[in-house]
Amino acid sequence: MEISKNWINGVDISALIFLFIPVLFFGSVLTFGLAKDLNPIVFISLPALLIAYILGNRQASFPLKLSSRELGFLALLVWMFLSFFWATDPSKVLYLALGYSCLYIYMLAVKNADLSPATLQFISRIFCILFIVLLFTTFFIIINKIPLNSSLLGAHRNKVSASVLSLFPFLLFTLGDQKFFKALKLITGIVLFFILLNTNCRGGILALIAILMFYFSMQSDQFPMKKVLMTSSLLVVIAFLLAFIPSVKEFITSSRIYVEFFDANEFDRLYMVRNSIWLFLENPFSGVGLGNWRLEAYANGFADFSYASEIFSFRTLSNHNIYTELLGELGFPGLFLFLFIFLWPVIHVLRNHQTYTKVAHACCGSIITFLISSFFYSSAFLKSGSFSPLFLLAVFSLAILISETSKNHIVQLPSKYTITPVLLTLLSCLSFFCFELFSEHKIEEYKGIRSDSELYIDRMVRLYTPLLKTDFNFYSIPQMIGYHSRGTPNHSRTERYYEESISFRPYDVNILYEYANNLYTRLNNPDKALTFARRTLKIHPNHLPTRVLLAQMALDKNQLEDAMSFLTFPDEIENKLTKMKNRSFSNLSGPEMNLKAKESLSLKALYETQILKAEIDSLLSITK
């Protein structure tokens, strides 16, 4: 049955209900940290809403018309799915590509819905309200010194501030020039800048500057560029002079952006770019596969990262630059298609802004936020079971821009094929949801197994599905099977599942060390253990548990000099070990030290280092 137009003052209510509500729902729910509980509702409701709208509202401009941008997005999706065949972990490809497919089909529906100017203006007003609510909620949380992760927002501070910023262009561009609105823009802009500073959102600050430059360039009659530049320069000079006032200086030096800039190792971001370029040079056309950057990027150069100083464990971070991540994962074609899809419409609007509506200007500002933030954060993209609010709003804005910028359509699907994208949407969303649900269920079940009995091990083996893994926890599923079966007579099973885990995470020092240790202490295979231990040390040269293992192996062969070399560190690490030893084992007797060492892997490695050094020194003194 055809849905009535339901026009109220030019607003297409049916379009609002079936196309805009998912965006509002995604943006508000995910920003407020409720995604984990409501994801099932989101993934099931999206295809249902699209089906209802497409089949019920004949006013929408179907058959589907595809422009070059939409075909480019489709080509990017195809390339993502093709990377399944050469990726180290194909499950990550499948998982993420299905998520992007949901957004692509949704973008097609929004673009082809022929939303009226009044409907778009109404949507902008709702975005303005959402922006103000989120802005002052975030401001209240920050001034009360509540961590955003543990607040009702429940998200990383950069993700929250960048998401709030992505809504700001709708208030800035679409509200009028009345005094009240001008005052509102000024106040919210100041509060927003305060939030960006106190969340250390560097990408957000640059994006805000770019958005304001775009805004003032459009208001050249009211704000001549010469006047804007002079005013900006004067404000910079005043800010510089104010910085010498003690109270102002104290405020600046206590701000998060100042503290983190001097405390954090900013070179890590540069090393991530460097390692991405290494991956690109090895696979310039294909890349290493969608979602596989973190699995492959630390094959070389790990010792340069600041977290390589964590000598007891192996920790890696996701890339903090989406462009180099795409370059490493999907090669040159992937990065080119991404820029073609998102960057070209923005350039077109910036060059010809007089011919576009205020809503299009706001959409352009929102995409600018996404593009600039993507230089600094990986959370701007689709990650781990949820749509990033920033990315979702960028896709929605892209659909609006494409509807205005693309007058010529390359491909037009006949009306009878309208149901095809609907079914694809349903398939993508349900697959994505089931993928996440099934994977999370299995991971939780595996985590609950703490027995080495054959009954539990057989249960794990039966439930193991190699393609359904979305987890980056310490114990991956095949690793858990190997770990729990290490004490059984079935050594071949232990080796098989450890090596399968390593095949998916070839440079994960935690897994490599654990396997080498079990090969030597449990599986009676010293030669193979030596191979994997050396492989571990090549990636993380100062990994103390591996060095202890190699020292023990050398000591068992009576290779005393080699054993001592594995326990000799640079002065910086030696000082760190000495401080930890004094703090952890001071005033403890031998048995007490042995008991305390069992509390953690780091204490065990520290204790064994001390014991082995003493034993080797004793043997060396005898030989001399």
Side-chain angles (χ1 to χ4, degrees):
M1 182 175 66
E2 184 173 340
I3 299 173
S4 62
K5 284 291 285 184
N6 294 326
W7 289 94
I8 298 178
N9 295 327
V11 177
D12 185 354
I13 301 302
S14 62
L16 277 178
I17 293 173
F18 295 118
L19 292 175
F20 172 62
I21 292 302
V23 175
L24 182 63
F25 185 70
F26 274 138
S28 59
V29 166
L30 293 182
T31 305
F32 279 106
L34 303 174
K36 188 171 183 61
D37 297 328
L38 294 178
N39 258 339
I41 301 174
V42 172
F43 290 129
I44 296 300
S45 65
L46 179 56
L49 289 170
L50 291 182
I51 291 170
Y53 181 71
I54 293 172
L55 298 183
N57 193 344
R58 302 297 176 79
Q59 302 296 329
S61 66
F62 293 97
L64 284 175
K65 298 175 181 179
L66 304 180
S67 67
S68 57
R69 232 62 55 197
E70 293 148 296
L71 290 175
F73 205 141
L74 182 61
L76 179 61
L77 282 177
V78 172
W79 192 243
M80 287 176 173
F81 277 109
L82 284 176
S83 68
F84 175 91
F85 296 102
W86 57 78
T88 300
D89 188 352
S91 68
K92 304 241 176 255
V93 176
L94 210 56
Y95 176 70
L96 291 174
L98 283 170
Y100 296 132
S101 299
C102 299
L103 294 180
Y104 174 66
I105 304 296
Y106 180 72
M107 183 192 75
L108 288 183
V110 173
K111 183 255 180 182
N112 284 273
D114 280 349
L115 300 177
S116 66
T119 304
L120 290 173
Q121 194 68 20
F122 188 78
I123 289 173
S124 299
R125 294 292 183 266
I126 298 177
F127 277 140
C128 291
I129 295 171
L130 180 61
F131 166 71
I132 292 171
V133 171
L134 292 178
L135 179 78
F136 287 102
T137 301
T138 308
F139 177 71
F140 174 80
I141 292 171
I142 289 174
I143 61 174
N144 283 279
K145 298 182 178 180
I146 302 172
L148 287 170
N149 269 326
S150 56
S151 69
L152 63 92
L153 297 179
H156 189 274
R157 61 182 186 275
N158 292 152
K159 183 177 180 180
V160 172
S161 53
S163 298
V164 174
L165 174 62
S166 67
L167 292 165
F168 178 59
F170 291 93
L171 182 141
L172 185 66
F173 288 95
T174 62
L175 294 186
D177 294 327
Q178 293 87 343
K179 289 184 178 179
F180 173 77
F181 289 138
K182 284 184 177 180
L184 182 63
K185 292 176 184 178
L186 178 62
I187 293 170
T188 54
I190 293 172
V191 174
L192 179 60
F193 186 68
F194 172 83
I195 290 172
L196 295 174
L197 278 178
N198 280 273
T199 55
N200 193 17
C201 190
R202 288 157 289 188
I205 292 172
L206 293 177
L208 179 61
I209 293 171
I211 291 168
L212 291 176
M213 289 178 63
F214 176 37
Y215 175 75
F216 286 123
S217 68
M218 291 173 50
Q219 312 289 328
S220 55
D221 53 334
Q222 300 181 42
F223 304 100
M225 190 53 63
K226 184 177 180 181
K227 185 177 179 181
V228 171
L229 291 174
M230 289 180 63
T231 305
S232 302
S233 302
L234 181 62
L235 289 173
V236 170
V237 172
I238 292 173
F240 181 77
L241 294 174
L242 286 174
F244 288 95
I245 300 175
S247 58
V248 177
K249 184 178 181 180
E250 183 181 356
F251 172 77
I252 294 172
T253 54
S254 63
S255 66
R256 183 179 289 274
I257 193 168
Y258 182 92
V259 172
E260 290 195 359
F261 182 81
F262 286 97
D263 285 353
N265 191 334
E266 295 299 322
F267 286 106
D268 281 349
R269 294 175 184 269
L270 297 178
Y271 293 140
M272 288 177 180
V273 172
R274 177 201 66 185
N275 286 20
S276 299
I277 293 173
W278 285 349
L279 290 181
F280 167 70
L281 293 176
E282 290 175 6
N283 309 276
F285 186 73
S286 64
V288 296
L290 181 65
N292 279 247
W293 185 91
R294 193 171 171 185
L295 299 177
E296 296 283 348
Y298 295 98
N300 298 295
F302 176 78
D304 297 328
F305 288 86
S306 62
Y307 33 88
S309 61
E310 298 178 8
I311 58 177
F312 298 104
S313 62
F314 176 74
R315 181 174 68 94
T316 61
L317 297 178
S318 299
N319 197 340
H320 282 49
N321 184 303
I322 286 174
Y323 303 101
T324 56
E325 183 174 330
L326 282 174
L327 189 65
E329 290 183 350
L330 298 174
F332 178 76
L335 180 62
F336 173 79
L337 288 169
F338 176 80
L339 293 176
F340 174 74
I341 295 161
F342 283 95
L343 188 59
W344 179 249
V346 172
I347 294 174
H348 200 278
V349 173
L350 293 177
R351 286 181 175 177
N352 308 280
H353 61 82
Q354 302 90 345
T355 61
Y356 291 97
T357 63
K358 290 182 178 180
V359 175
H361 296 153
C363 290
C364 181
S366 183
I367 297 176
I368 287 173
T369 302
F370 168 68
L371 291 173
I372 295 180
S373 297
S374 296
F375 275 102
F376 296 88
Y377 320 115
S378 59
S379 60
F381 238 164
L382 172 71
K383 293 289 180 185
S384 186
S386 62
F387 295 116
S388 159
L390 189 60
F391 187 35
L392 180 76
L393 186 57
V395 170
F396 182 85
S397 299
L398 180 66
I400 303 302
L401 283 191
I402 290 176
S403 66
E404 291 200 29
T405 59
S406 302
K407 306 303 180 185
N408 299 319
H409 296 91
I410 299 173
V411 176
Q412 177 171 315
L413 298 178
S415 298
K416 63 181 180 179
Y417 295 125
T418 300
I419 193 64
T420 303
V422 177
L423 293 176
L424 286 174
T425 306
L426 181 63
L427 177 64
S428 297
C429 290
L430 290 179
S431 300
F432 187 49
F433 165 63
C434 292
F435 204 139
E436 171 71 12
L437 187 67
F438 187 68
S439 177
E440 287 297 323
H441 170 73
K442 289 206 166 189
I443 289 167
E444 289 303 318
E445 187 169 354
Y446 283 126
K447 286 180 182 176
I449 296 174
R450 291 294 181 267
S451 171
D452 294 342
S453 71
E454 284 292 338
L455 177 65
Y456 282 97
I457 295 169
D458 289 341
R459 190 169 125 210
M460 283 193 291
V461 171
R462 285 197 305 272
L463 290 173
Y464 175 52
T465 308
L467 285 182
L468 294 178
K469 302 187 314 304
T470 61
D471 177 65
F472 257 113
N473 289 313
F474 180 83
Y475 287 111
S476 64
I477 295 170
Q479 181 187 2
M480 287 181 67
I481 297 173
Y483 177 81
H484 285 288
S485 61
R486 71 197 186 286
T488 67
N490 193 346
H491 290 181
S492 61
R493 178 178 61 192
T494 305
E495 293 187 28
R496 173 193 165 191
Y497 281 101
Y498 263 123
E499 290 177 16
E500 183 160 354
S501 180
I502 291 169
S503 71
F504 287 117
R505 297 185 185 181
Y507 308 108
D508 190 324
V509 168
N510 294 324
I511 301 175
L512 290 169
Y513 161 72
E514 186 181 297
Y515 184 37
N517 186 52
N518 280 315
L519 281 169
Y520 190 70
T521 60
R522 299 286 190 109
L523 306 182
N524 194 27
N525 194 338
D527 293 336
K528 199 170 186 179
L530 182 62
T531 300
F532 278 93
R534 285 175 173 169
R535 181 172 163 183
T536 306
L537 209 62
K538 183 180 178 182
I539 299 167
H540 192 345
N542 292 321
H543 188 243
L544 185 61
T546 303
R547 282 183 166 268
V548 169
L549 176 62
L550 285 167
Q552 184 65 61
M553 294 167 72
L555 181 60
D556 290 345
K557 295 178 180 179
N558 202 32
Q559 298 170 348
L560 302 181
E561 298 289 345
D562 289 343
M564 184 57 79
S565 68
F566 286 121
L567 301 177
T568 304
F569 297 91
D571 291 341
E572 181 183 354
I573 295 178
E574 285 285 3
N575 293 334
K576 182 177 181 179
L577 290 174
T578 301
K579 289 178 182 178
M580 289 188 68
K581 182 183 68 174
N582 294 335
R583 185 172 64 249
S584 302
F585 298 119
S586 60
N587 302 321
L588 293 180
S589 63
E592 290 173 334
M593 291 173 62
N594 188 20
L595 186 64
K596 187 174 180 61
K598 295 178 181 179
E599 293 179 3
S600 68
L601 178 64
S602 57
L603 289 177
K604 180 175 180 290
L606 193 63
Y607 174 70
E608 289 178 348
T609 302
Q610 186 175 342
I611 297 300
L612 282 174
K613 271 190 173 182
E615 184 178 351
I616 295 168
D617 282 335
S618 174
L619 291 172
L620 284 173
S621 63
I622 293 173
T623 56
K624 291 178 181 179

